[in-house]
PDB file of all heavy atoms in Angstrom:
ATOM      1  N   GLU A  27      94.337  95.837 -16.811  1.00 98.00           N
ATOM      2  CA  GLU A  27      94.865  96.870 -15.913  1.00 98.00           C
ATOM      3  C   GLU A  27      93.845  97.285 -14.834  1.00 98.00           C
ATOM      4  O   GLU A  27      94.225  97.868 -13.827  1.00 98.00           O
ATOM      5  CB  GLU A  27      95.269  98.125 -16.703  1.00 98.00           C
ATOM      6  CG  GLU A  27      96.491  97.945 -17.561  1.00 98.00           C
ATOM      7  CD  GLU A  27      96.258  97.110 -18.820  1.00 98.00           C
ATOM      8  OE1 GLU A  27      95.208  97.274 -19.466  1.00 98.00           O
ATOM      9  OE2 GLU A  27      97.133  96.265 -19.135  1.00 98.00           O
ATOM     10  N   ASP A  28      92.596  96.944 -15.041  1.00 98.00           N
ATOM     11  CA  ASP A  28      91.514  97.323 -14.112  1.00 98.00           C
ATOM     12  C   ASP A  28      91.235  96.270 -13.059  1.00 98.00           C
ATOM     13  O   ASP A  28      90.442  96.503 -12.136  1.00 98.00           O
ATOM     14  CB  ASP A  28      90.211  97.583 -14.882  1.00 98.00           C
ATOM     15  CG  ASP A  28      90.347  98.727 -15.871  1.00 98.00           C
ATOM     16  OD1 ASP A  28      90.910  99.766 -15.512  1.00 98.00           O
ATOM     17  OD2 ASP A  28      89.884  98.535 -17.031  1.00 98.00           O
ATOM     18  N   VAL A  29      91.849  95.086 -13.158  1.00 98.00           N
ATOM     19  CA  VAL A  29      91.489  93.956 -12.316  1.00 98.00           C
ATOM     20  C   VAL A  29      91.582  94.264 -10.816  1.00 98.00           C
ATOM     21  O   VAL A  29      90.669  93.968 -10.057  1.00 98.00           O
ATOM     22  CB  VAL A  29      92.332  92.705 -12.685  1.00 98.00           C
ATOM     23  CG1 VAL A  29      92.224  91.620 -11.626  1.00 98.00           C
ATOM     24  CG2 VAL A  29      91.856  92.154 -14.029  1.00 98.00           C
ATOM     25  N   SER A  30      92.656  94.860 -10.399  1.00 98.00           N
ATOM     26  CA  SER A  30      92.832  95.135  -8.957  1.00 98.00           C
ATOM     27  C   SER A  30      91.764  96.094  -8.440  1.00 98.00           C
ATOM     28  O   SER A  30      91.139  95.833  -7.372  1.00 98.00           O
ATOM     29  CB  SER A  30      94.222  95.725  -8.720  1.00 98.00           C
ATOM     30  OG  SER A  30      94.398  95.964  -7.339  1.00 98.00           O
ATOM     31  N   GLN A  31      91.497  97.149  -9.194  1.00 98.00           N
ATOM     32  CA  GLN A  31      90.480  98.098  -8.766  1.00 98.00           C
ATOM     33  C   GLN A  31      89.071  97.489  -8.786  1.00 98.00           C
ATOM     34  O   GLN A  31      88.270  97.728  -7.892  1.00 98.00           O
ATOM     35  CB  GLN A  31      90.555  99.357  -9.671  1.00 98.00           C
ATOM     36  CG  GLN A  31      90.152 100.631  -8.979  1.00 98.00           C
ATOM     37  CD  GLN A  31      90.243 101.843  -9.868  1.00 98.00           C
ATOM     38  OE1 GLN A  31      89.297 102.622  -9.879  1.00 98.00           O
ATOM     39  NE2 GLN A  31      91.305 102.035 -10.609  1.00 98.00           N
ATOM     40  N   LEU A  32      88.801  96.675  -9.821  1.00 98.00           N
ATOM     41  CA  LEU A  32      87.511  96.005  -9.887  1.00 98.00           C
ATOM     42  C   LEU A  32      87.313  95.045  -8.700  1.00 98.00           C
ATOM     43  O   LEU A  32      86.265  94.997  -8.084  1.00 98.00           O
ATOM     44  CB  LEU A  32      87.369  95.194 -11.196  1.00 98.00           C
ATOM     45  CG  LEU A  32      87.153  95.989 -12.480  1.00 98.00           C
ATOM     46  CD1 LEU A  32      87.358  95.108 -13.688  1.00 98.00           C
ATOM     47  CD2 LEU A  32      85.773  96.621 -12.489  1.00 98.00           C
ATOM     48  N   ASN A  33      88.354  94.289  -8.396  1.00 97.00           N
ATOM     49  CA  ASN A  33      88.287  93.342  -7.296  1.00 97.00           C
ATOM     50  C   ASN A  33      87.980  94.063  -5.980  1.00 97.00           C
ATOM     51  O   ASN A  33      87.091  93.627  -5.214  1.00 97.00           O
ATOM     52  CB  ASN A  33      89.616  92.582  -7.182  1.00 97.00           C
ATOM     53  CG  ASN A  33      89.537  91.463  -6.190  1.00 97.00           C
ATOM     54  OD1 ASN A  33      88.714  90.581  -6.264  1.00 97.00           O
ATOM     55  ND2 ASN A  33      90.492  91.458  -5.243  1.00 97.00           N
ATOM     56  N   THR A  34      88.655  95.161  -5.723  1.00 97.00           N
ATOM     57  CA  THR A  34      88.409  95.939  -4.486  1.00 97.00           C
ATOM     58  C   THR A  34      86.960  96.437  -4.475  1.00 97.00           C
ATOM     59  O   THR A  34      86.257  96.327  -3.460  1.00 97.00           O
ATOM     60  CB  THR A  34      89.392  97.104  -4.415  1.00 97.00           C
ATOM     61  OG1 THR A  34      90.724  96.577  -4.364  1.00 97.00           O
ATOM     62  CG2 THR A  34      89.134  97.956  -3.170  1.00 97.00           C
ATOM     63  N   LEU A  35      86.510  97.014  -5.575  1.00 97.00           N
ATOM     64  CA  LEU A  35      85.149  97.551  -5.657  1.00 97.00           C
ATOM     65  C   LEU A  35      84.091  96.459  -5.423  1.00 97.00           C
ATOM     66  O   LEU A  35      83.194  96.614  -4.583  1.00 97.00           O
ATOM     67  CB  LEU A  35      84.891  98.199  -7.033  1.00 97.00           C
ATOM     68  CG  LEU A  35      83.444  98.571  -7.331  1.00 97.00           C
ATOM     69  CD1 LEU A  35      82.993  99.738  -6.459  1.00 97.00           C
ATOM     70  CD2 LEU A  35      83.255  98.854  -8.826  1.00 97.00           C
ATOM     71  N   ILE A  36      84.198  95.350  -6.147  1.00 96.00           N
ATOM     72  CA  ILE A  36      83.192  94.285  -6.080  1.00 96.00           C
ATOM     73  C   ILE A  36      83.122  93.717  -4.661  1.00 96.00           C
ATOM     74  O   ILE A  36      82.029  93.555  -4.107  1.00 96.00           O
ATOM     75  CB  ILE A  36      83.468  93.223  -7.149  1.00 96.00           C
ATOM     76  CG1 ILE A  36      83.239  93.820  -8.554  1.00 96.00           C
ATOM     77  CG2 ILE A  36      82.579  92.003  -6.925  1.00 96.00           C
ATOM     78  CD1 ILE A  36      83.825  92.988  -9.667  1.00 96.00           C
ATOM     79  N   ASN A  37      84.273  93.384  -4.106  1.00 93.00           N
ATOM     80  CA  ASN A  37      84.252  92.802  -2.753  1.00 93.00           C
ATOM     81  C   ASN A  37      83.736  93.809  -1.720  1.00 93.00           C
ATOM     82  O   ASN A  37      83.065  93.410  -0.778  1.00 93.00           O
ATOM     83  CB  ASN A  37      85.624  92.248  -2.412  1.00 93.00           C
ATOM     84  CG  ASN A  37      85.858  90.917  -3.089  1.00 93.00           C
ATOM     85  OD1 ASN A  37      85.062  89.988  -2.949  1.00 93.00           O
ATOM     86  ND2 ASN A  37      86.934  90.817  -3.851  1.00 93.00           N
ATOM     87  N   SER A  38      84.046  95.094  -1.888  1.00 94.00           N
ATOM     88  CA  SER A  38      83.582  96.089  -0.918  1.00 94.00           C
ATOM     89  C   SER A  38      82.086  96.298  -1.009  1.00 94.00           C
ATOM     90  O   SER A  38      81.433  96.670  -0.022  1.00 94.00           O
ATOM     91  CB  SER A  38      84.296  97.432  -1.137  1.00 94.00           C
ATOM     92  OG  SER A  38      83.802  98.109  -2.295  1.00 94.00           O
ATOM     93  N   ALA A  39      81.510  96.052  -2.176  1.00 93.00           N
ATOM     94  CA  ALA A  39      80.069  96.284  -2.346  1.00 93.00           C
ATOM     95  C   ALA A  39      79.201  95.087  -1.942  1.00 93.00           C
ATOM     96  O   ALA A  39      78.048  95.244  -1.602  1.00 93.00           O
ATOM     97  CB  ALA A  39      79.753  96.654  -3.796  1.00 93.00           C
ATOM     98  N   TYR A  40      79.779  93.883  -1.979  1.00 90.00           N
ATOM     99  CA  TYR A  40      78.983  92.687  -1.695  1.00 90.00           C
ATOM    100  C   TYR A  40      79.192  92.126  -0.276  1.00 90.00           C
ATOM    101  O   TYR A  40      78.259  91.583   0.306  1.00 90.00           O
ATOM    102  CB  TYR A  40      79.303  91.570  -2.687  1.00 90.00           C
ATOM    103  CG  TYR A  40      78.642  91.745  -4.028  1.00 90.00           C
ATOM    104  CD1 TYR A  40      79.233  92.448  -5.047  1.00 90.00           C
ATOM    105  CD2 TYR A  40      77.398  91.174  -4.266  1.00 90.00           C
ATOM    106  CE1 TYR A  40      78.614  92.580  -6.302  1.00 90.00           C
ATOM    107  CE2 TYR A  40      76.752  91.298  -5.477  1.00 90.00           C
ATOM    108  CZ  TYR A  40      77.372  92.017  -6.482  1.00 90.00           C
ATOM    109  OH  TYR A  40      76.744  92.142  -7.705  1.00 90.00           O
ATOM    110  N   ARG A  41      80.397  92.203   0.243  1.00 86.00           N
ATOM    111  CA  ARG A  41      80.697  91.518   1.487  1.00 86.00           C
ATOM    112  C   ARG A  41      81.408  92.445   2.471  1.00 86.00           C
ATOM    113  O   ARG A  41      82.027  93.428   2.093  1.00 86.00           O
ATOM    114  CB  ARG A  41      81.606  90.306   1.233  1.00 86.00           C
ATOM    115  CG  ARG A  41      81.099  89.354   0.149  1.00 86.00           C
ATOM    116  CD  ARG A  41      80.034  88.412   0.609  1.00 86.00           C
ATOM    117  NE  ARG A  41      79.323  87.794  -0.492  1.00 86.00           N
ATOM    118  CZ  ARG A  41      79.758  86.786  -1.220  1.00 86.00           C
ATOM    119  NH1 ARG A  41      80.912  86.240  -0.961  1.00 86.00           N
ATOM    120  NH2 ARG A  41      79.016  86.285  -2.193  1.00 86.00           N
ATOM    121  N   GLY A  42      81.369  92.069   3.741  1.00 83.00           N
ATOM    122  CA  GLY A  42      82.084  92.790   4.777  1.00 83.00           C
ATOM    123  C   GLY A  42      81.404  94.070   5.230  1.00 83.00           C
ATOM    124  O   GLY A  42      80.325  94.429   4.723  1.00 83.00           O
ATOM    125  N   GLU A  43      82.023  94.736   6.169  1.00 86.00           N
ATOM    126  CA  GLU A  43      81.457  95.955   6.774  1.00 86.00           C
ATOM    127  C   GLU A  43      81.216  97.062   5.781  1.00 86.00           C
ATOM    128  O   GLU A  43      80.195  97.749   5.827  1.00 86.00           O
ATOM    129  CB  GLU A  43      82.367  96.453   7.904  1.00 86.00           C
ATOM    130  CG  GLU A  43      82.251  95.676   9.193  1.00 86.00           C
ATOM    131  CD  GLU A  43      80.823  95.563   9.710  1.00 86.00           C
ATOM    132  OE1 GLU A  43      80.154  96.617   9.863  1.00 86.00           O
ATOM    133  OE2 GLU A  43      80.372  94.442   9.967  1.00 86.00           O
ATOM    134  N   SER A  44      82.138  97.262   4.840  1.00 87.00           N
ATOM    135  CA  SER A  44      81.992  98.366   3.886  1.00 87.00           C
ATOM    136  C   SER A  44      80.728  98.220   3.045  1.00 87.00           C
ATOM    137  O   SER A  44      80.080  99.203   2.704  1.00 87.00           O
ATOM    138  CB  SER A  44      83.207  98.452   2.966  1.00 87.00           C
ATOM    139  OG  SER A  44      83.328  97.278   2.180  1.00 87.00           O
ATOM    140  N   SER A  45      80.323  96.968   2.772  1.00 86.00           N
ATOM    141  CA  SER A  45      79.143  96.743   1.937  1.00 86.00           C
ATOM    142  C   SER A  45      77.859  97.169   2.629  1.00 86.00           C
ATOM    143  O   SER A  45      76.860  97.477   1.988  1.00 86.00           O
ATOM    144  CB  SER A  45      79.061  95.260   1.544  1.00 86.00           C
ATOM    145  OG  SER A  45      78.704  94.460   2.659  1.00 86.00           O
ATOM    146  N   LYS A  46      77.875  97.246   3.956  1.00 87.00           N
ATOM    147  CA  LYS A  46      76.668  97.611   4.714  1.00 87.00           C
ATOM    148  C   LYS A  46      76.293  99.068   4.568  1.00 87.00           C
ATOM    149  O   LYS A  46      75.211  99.478   4.950  1.00 87.00           O
ATOM    150  CB  LYS A  46      76.863  97.219   6.174  1.00 87.00           C
ATOM    151  CG  LYS A  46      76.945  95.709   6.370  1.00 87.00           C
ATOM    152  CD  LYS A  46      77.204  95.335   7.812  1.00 87.00           C
ATOM    153  CE  LYS A  46      77.367  93.817   7.945  1.00 87.00           C
ATOM    154  NZ  LYS A  46      77.705  93.437   9.321  1.00 87.00           N
ATOM    155  N   LYS A  47      77.194  99.871   3.945  1.00 90.00           N
ATOM    156  CA  LYS A  47      76.864 101.278   3.644  1.00 90.00           C
ATOM    157  C   LYS A  47      75.865 101.365   2.489  1.00 90.00           C
ATOM    158  O   LYS A  47      75.225 102.402   2.295  1.00 90.00           O
ATOM    159  CB  LYS A  47      78.135 102.050   3.276  1.00 90.00           C
ATOM    160  CG  LYS A  47      79.122 102.170   4.408  1.00 90.00           C
ATOM    161  CD  LYS A  47      80.386 102.854   3.926  1.00 90.00           C
ATOM    162  CE  LYS A  47      81.440 102.832   5.003  1.00 90.00           C
ATOM    163  NZ  LYS A  47      82.764 103.243   4.491  1.00 90.00           N
ATOM    164  N   GLY A  48      75.742 100.312   1.706  1.00 88.00           N
ATOM    165  CA  GLY A  48      74.835 100.289   0.558  1.00 88.00           C
ATOM    166  C   GLY A  48      73.672  99.330   0.842  1.00 88.00           C
ATOM    167  O   GLY A  48      73.706  98.560   1.793  1.00 88.00           O
ATOM    168  N   TRP A  49      72.700  99.371  -0.027  1.00 85.00           N
ATOM    169  CA  TRP A  49      71.492  98.535   0.185  1.00 85.00           C
ATOM    170  C   TRP A  49      71.611  97.180  -0.525  1.00 85.00           C
ATOM    171  O   TRP A  49      70.732  96.343  -0.397  1.00 85.00           O
ATOM    172  CB  TRP A  49      70.220  99.260  -0.212  1.00 85.00           C
ATOM    173  CG  TRP A  49      70.095  99.560  -1.665  1.00 85.00           C
ATOM    174  CD1 TRP A  49      70.606 100.675  -2.320  1.00 85.00           C
ATOM    175  CD2 TRP A  49      69.453  98.784  -2.654  1.00 85.00           C
ATOM    176  NE1 TRP A  49      70.299 100.592  -3.656  1.00 85.00           N
ATOM    177  CE2 TRP A  49      69.589  99.469  -3.893  1.00 85.00           C
ATOM    178  CE3 TRP A  49      68.759  97.565  -2.647  1.00 85.00           C
ATOM    179  CZ2 TRP A  49      69.087  98.961  -5.095  1.00 85.00           C
ATOM    180  CZ3 TRP A  49      68.266  97.073  -3.824  1.00 85.00           C
ATOM    181  CH2 TRP A  49      68.412  97.766  -5.045  1.00 85.00           C
ATOM    182  N   THR A  50      72.659  96.947  -1.309  1.00 85.00           N
ATOM    183  CA  THR A  50      72.759  95.697  -2.077  1.00 85.00           C
ATOM    184  C   THR A  50      73.686  94.669  -1.404  1.00 85.00           C
ATOM    185  O   THR A  50      74.040  93.684  -2.038  1.00 85.00           O
ATOM    186  CB  THR A  50      73.260  95.963  -3.484  1.00 85.00           C
ATOM    187  OG1 THR A  50      74.582  96.516  -3.454  1.00 85.00           O
ATOM    188  CG2 THR A  50      72.308  96.904  -4.226  1.00 85.00           C
ATOM    189  N   THR A  51      74.086  94.896  -0.185  1.00 86.00           N
ATOM    190  CA  THR A  51      75.028  94.024   0.513  1.00 86.00           C
ATOM    191  C   THR A  51      74.523  92.573   0.591  1.00 86.00           C
ATOM    192  O   THR A  51      73.328  92.321   0.667  1.00 86.00           O
ATOM    193  CB  THR A  51      75.319  94.539   1.928  1.00 86.00           C
ATOM    194  OG1 THR A  51      76.264  93.668   2.535  1.00 86.00           O
ATOM    195  CG2 THR A  51      74.060  94.612   2.775  1.00 86.00           C
ATOM    196  N   GLU A  52      75.483  91.648   0.571  1.00 88.00           N
ATOM    197  CA  GLU A  52      75.179  90.254   0.846  1.00 88.00           C
ATOM    198  C   GLU A  52      75.780  89.833   2.200  1.00 88.00           C
ATOM    199  O   GLU A  52      75.794  88.664   2.562  1.00 88.00           O
ATOM    200  CB  GLU A  52      75.777  89.332  -0.232  1.00 88.00           C
ATOM    201  CG  GLU A  52      75.158  89.491  -1.575  1.00 88.00           C
ATOM    202  CD  GLU A  52      75.836  88.641  -2.642  1.00 88.00           C
ATOM    203  OE1 GLU A  52      76.954  88.131  -2.445  1.00 88.00           O
ATOM    204  OE2 GLU A  52      75.219  88.509  -3.720  1.00 88.00           O
ATOM    205  N   ALA A  53      76.309  90.820   2.944  1.00 86.00           N
ATOM    206  CA  ALA A  53      77.046  90.535   4.189  1.00 86.00           C
ATOM    207  C   ALA A  53      76.188  89.821   5.242  1.00 86.00           C
ATOM    208  O   ALA A  53      76.731  89.137   6.088  1.00 86.00           O
ATOM    209  CB  ALA A  53      77.602  91.824   4.787  1.00 86.00           C
ATOM    210  N   ASN A  54      74.874  89.962   5.146  1.00 88.00           N
ATOM    211  CA  ASN A  54      74.001  89.302   6.134  1.00 88.00           C
ATOM    212  C   ASN A  54      73.665  87.860   5.765  1.00 88.00           C
ATOM    213  O   ASN A  54      73.090  87.134   6.562  1.00 88.00           O
ATOM    214  CB  ASN A  54      72.715  90.127   6.329  1.00 88.00           C
ATOM    215  CG  ASN A  54      71.966  90.311   5.017  1.00 88.00           C
ATOM    216  OD1 ASN A  54      72.572  90.319   3.945  1.00 88.00           O
ATOM    217  ND2 ASN A  54      70.659  90.481   5.088  1.00 88.00           N
ATOM    218  N   ILE A  55      74.033  87.455   4.525  1.00 90.00           N
ATOM    219  CA  ILE A  55      73.718  86.074   4.135  1.00 90.00           C
ATOM    220  C   ILE A  55      74.956  85.267   3.720  1.00 90.00           C
ATOM    221  O   ILE A  55      74.914  84.039   3.695  1.00 90.00           O
ATOM    222  CB  ILE A  55      72.675  86.008   3.014  1.00 90.00           C
ATOM    223  CG1 ILE A  55      73.109  86.832   1.787  1.00 90.00           C
ATOM    224  CG2 ILE A  55      71.313  86.433   3.509  1.00 90.00           C
ATOM    225  CD1 ILE A  55      72.209  86.692   0.579  1.00 90.00           C
ATOM    226  N   LEU A  56      76.037  85.969   3.356  1.00 89.00           N
ATOM    227  CA  LEU A  56      77.248  85.268   2.887  1.00 89.00           C
ATOM    228  C   LEU A  56      78.500  85.923   3.474  1.00 89.00           C
ATOM    229  O   LEU A  56      78.523  87.134   3.691  1.00 89.00           O
ATOM    230  CB  LEU A  56      77.364  85.302   1.360  1.00 89.00           C
ATOM    231  CG  LEU A  56      76.257  84.616   0.574  1.00 89.00           C
ATOM    232  CD1 LEU A  56      76.297  85.037  -0.874  1.00 89.00           C
ATOM    233  CD2 LEU A  56      76.405  83.101   0.688  1.00 89.00           C
ATOM    234  N   GLU A  57      79.530  85.093   3.652  1.00 86.00           N
ATOM    235  CA  GLU A  57      80.828  85.681   3.987  1.00 86.00           C
ATOM    236  C   GLU A  57      81.839  85.082   2.998  1.00 86.00           C
ATOM    237  O   GLU A  57      81.520  84.279   2.158  1.00 86.00           O
ATOM    238  CB  GLU A  57      81.203  85.429   5.429  1.00 86.00           C
ATOM    239  CG  GLU A  57      81.302  83.990   5.855  1.00 86.00           C
ATOM    240  CD  GLU A  57      81.600  83.852   7.332  1.00 86.00           C
ATOM    241  OE1 GLU A  57      81.269  84.738   8.127  1.00 86.00           O
ATOM    242  OE2 GLU A  57      82.183  82.820   7.688  1.00 86.00           O
ATOM    243  N   GLY A  58      83.078  85.533   3.133  1.00 85.00           N
ATOM    244  CA  GLY A  58      84.083  85.158   2.158  1.00 85.00           C
ATOM    245  C   GLY A  58      84.117  86.233   1.062  1.00 85.00           C
ATOM    246  O   GLY A  58      83.453  87.246   1.166  1.00 85.00           O
ATOM    247  N   LEU A  59      84.878  85.982   0.049  1.00 87.00           N
ATOM    248  CA  LEU A  59      85.000  86.936  -1.042  1.00 87.00           C
ATOM    249  C   LEU A  59      83.909  86.753  -2.081  1.00 87.00           C
ATOM    250  O   LEU A  59      83.440  85.658  -2.292  1.00 87.00           O
ATOM    251  CB  LEU A  59      86.347  86.794  -1.722  1.00 87.00           C
ATOM    252  CG  LEU A  59      87.595  87.052  -0.855  1.00 87.00           C
ATOM    253  CD1 LEU A  59      88.872  86.722  -1.622  1.00 87.00           C
ATOM    254  CD2 LEU A  59      87.608  88.511  -0.390  1.00 87.00           C
ATOM    255  N   ARG A  60      83.556  87.822  -2.760  1.00 91.00           N
ATOM    256  CA  ARG A  60      82.612  87.729  -3.879  1.00 91.00           C
ATOM    257  C   ARG A  60      83.347  87.281  -5.144  1.00 91.00           C
ATOM    258  O   ARG A  60      82.814  86.588  -5.982  1.00 91.00           O
ATOM    259  CB  ARG A  60      81.896  89.066  -4.090  1.00 91.00           C
ATOM    260  CG  ARG A  60      80.991  89.159  -5.325  1.00 91.00           C
ATOM    261  CD  ARG A  60      79.896  88.107  -5.255  1.00 91.00           C
ATOM    262  NE  ARG A  60      79.041  88.169  -6.425  1.00 91.00           N
ATOM    263  CZ  ARG A  60      79.308  87.576  -7.600  1.00 91.00           C
ATOM    264  NH1 ARG A  60      80.419  86.937  -7.750  1.00 91.00           N
ATOM    265  NH2 ARG A  60      78.437  87.650  -8.596  1.00 91.00           N
ATOM    266  N   THR A  61      84.592  87.740  -5.276  1.00 93.00           N
ATOM    267  CA  THR A  61      85.399  87.374  -6.425  1.00 93.00           C
ATOM    268  C   THR A  61      86.867  87.540  -6.065  1.00 93.00           C
ATOM    269  O   THR A  61      87.200  87.938  -4.955  1.00 93.00           O
ATOM    270  CB  THR A  61      85.054  88.268  -7.656  1.00 93.00           C
ATOM    271  OG1 THR A  61      85.660  87.712  -8.825  1.00 93.00           O
ATOM    272  CG2 THR A  61      85.475  89.711  -7.482  1.00 93.00           C
ATOM    273  N   THR A  62      87.738  87.154  -6.963  1.00 94.00           N
ATOM    274  CA  THR A  62      89.204  87.286  -6.761  1.00 94.00           C
ATOM    275  C   THR A  62      89.803  87.918  -8.005  1.00 94.00           C
ATOM    276  O   THR A  62      89.206  87.940  -9.095  1.00 94.00           O
ATOM    277  CB  THR A  62      89.853  85.903  -6.554  1.00 94.00           C
ATOM    278  OG1 THR A  62      89.707  85.145  -7.760  1.00 94.00           O
ATOM    279  CG2 THR A  62      89.228  85.167  -5.364  1.00 94.00           C
ATOM    280  N   GLU A  63      91.046  88.415  -7.868  1.00 96.00           N
ATOM    281  CA  GLU A  63      91.740  88.991  -9.019  1.00 96.00           C
ATOM    282  C   GLU A  63      91.926  87.918 -10.096  1.00 96.00           C
ATOM    283  O   GLU A  63      91.788  88.222 -11.305  1.00 96.00           O
ATOM    284  CB  GLU A  63      93.064  89.604  -8.617  1.00 96.00           C
ATOM    285  CG  GLU A  63      92.868  90.918  -7.861  1.00 96.00           C
ATOM    286  CD  GLU A  63      94.136  91.718  -7.666  1.00 96.00           C
ATOM    287  OE1 GLU A  63      95.154  91.451  -8.371  1.00 96.00           O
ATOM    288  OE2 GLU A  63      94.114  92.617  -6.801  1.00 96.00           O
ATOM    289  N   ASP A  64      92.266  86.683  -9.708  1.00 96.00           N
ATOM    290  CA  ASP A  64      92.425  85.626 -10.704  1.00 96.00           C
ATOM    291  C   ASP A  64      91.130  85.356 -11.484  1.00 96.00           C
ATOM    292  O   ASP A  64      91.166  85.227 -12.705  1.00 96.00           O
ATOM    293  CB  ASP A  64      92.892  84.316 -10.033  1.00 96.00           C
ATOM    294  CG  ASP A  64      94.346  84.371  -9.623  1.00 96.00           C
ATOM    295  OD1 ASP A  64      95.083  85.263 -10.069  1.00 96.00           O
ATOM    296  OD2 ASP A  64      94.752  83.478  -8.832  1.00 96.00           O
ATOM    297  N   GLU A  65      90.027  85.309 -10.768  1.00 95.00           N
ATOM    298  CA  GLU A  65      88.728  85.072 -11.423  1.00 95.00           C
ATOM    299  C   GLU A  65      88.416  86.215 -12.394  1.00 95.00           C
ATOM    300  O   GLU A  65      87.979  85.968 -13.518  1.00 95.00           O
ATOM    301  CB  GLU A  65      87.640  84.942 -10.358  1.00 95.00           C
ATOM    302  CG  GLU A  65      86.246  84.646 -10.951  1.00 95.00           C
ATOM    303  CD  GLU A  65      85.203  84.503  -9.874  1.00 95.00           C
ATOM    304  OE1 GLU A  65      84.940  85.493  -9.132  1.00 95.00           O
ATOM    305  OE2 GLU A  65      84.664  83.398  -9.738  1.00 95.00           O
ATOM    306  N   LEU A  66      88.648  87.433 -11.973  1.00 97.00           N
ATOM    307  CA  LEU A  66      88.376  88.609 -12.846  1.00 97.00           C
ATOM    308  C   LEU A  66      89.281  88.620 -14.049  1.00 97.00           C
ATOM    309  O   LEU A  66      88.831  88.898 -15.158  1.00 97.00           O
ATOM    310  CB  LEU A  66      88.503  89.897 -12.052  1.00 97.00           C
ATOM    311  CG  LEU A  66      87.397  90.156 -11.024  1.00 97.00           C
ATOM    312  CD1 LEU A  66      87.776  91.277 -10.074  1.00 97.00           C
ATOM    313  CD2 LEU A  66      86.069  90.434 -11.707  1.00 97.00           C
TER     314      LEU A  66
END
C-alpha cells in the first residue's frame, strides 16, 4: 500500500529539481528515475 508514496518520495529526493532542495541529490550526475513502482 506504500509503493506509490515511496516511489514519489525516493524519486523526489534523488533526481530532478525537487531533489536540489536537499544535499543528497544526484540530479547533477544522473537523470532518469531512481526507482519505479514495479521495482519497489
Side-chain angles (χ1 to χ4, degrees):
E27 289 75 41
D28 299 314
V29 165
S30 180
Q31 210 179 134
L32 286 168
N33 188 55
T34 300
L35 170 70
I36 293 164
N37 283 306
S38 75
Y40 281 90
R41 310 279 164 79
E43 282 306 307
S44 63
S45 71
K46 294 177 183 176
K47 295 176 187 169
W49 66 273
T50 64
T51 182
E52 293 177 345
N54 57 332
I55 56 172
L56 296 166
E57 59 183 26
L59 297 174
R60 174 59 180 83
T61 192
T62 65
E63 287 192 17
D64 285 346
E65 183 179 63
L66 289 168

